[in-house]
Amino acid sequence: MSVTRGRSGSAKSKTHAANQAFTLGSSVKVRFGKRTFDAKVIECHKDRVTVEISIEGASDPLITSYRSDEVTT
């Protein structure tokens, strides 16, 4: 996500608009290490998206956060 200022709106409104695309429980894709994983959105706050990544063979999911521009739907 590129943030620009001017006639198109403030940086704050663009960040807020980017987070609106992510709803709690929605499926997204994130990079972790050298791989891309399917993840579930568990929280959105400002320009951060917290996700839960289920990794095969692990007893518990991995919970981590990303900038909203690092998460794809």
Side-chain angles (χ1 to χ4, degrees):
M1 176 182 88
S2 62
V3 176
T4 58
R5 298 179 192 274
R7 286 190 281 169
S8 62
S10 69
K12 183 177 180 182
S13 66
K14 286 193 176 294
T15 298
H16 181 71
N19 279 340
Q20 293 303 308
F22 303 108
T23 57
L24 298 181
S26 65
S27 295
V28 294
K29 295 194 180 295
V30 294
R31 290 284 296 174
F32 188 77
K34 294 183 177 184
R35 293 184 53 198
T36 299
F37 289 91
D38 292 323
K40 180 173 69 172
V41 175
I42 59 174
E43 184 178 359
C44 296
H45 183 66
K46 295 188 180 178
D47 189 34
R48 303 296 294 181
V49 180
T50 302
V51 299
E52 178 181 279
I53 304 170
S54 295
I55 299 175
E56 188 176 326
S59 58
D60 294 318
L62 174 71
I63 297 176
T64 187
S65 66
Y66 293 86
R67 289 189 329 260
S68 60
D69 64 341
E70 297 175 314
V71 179
T72 58
T73 54

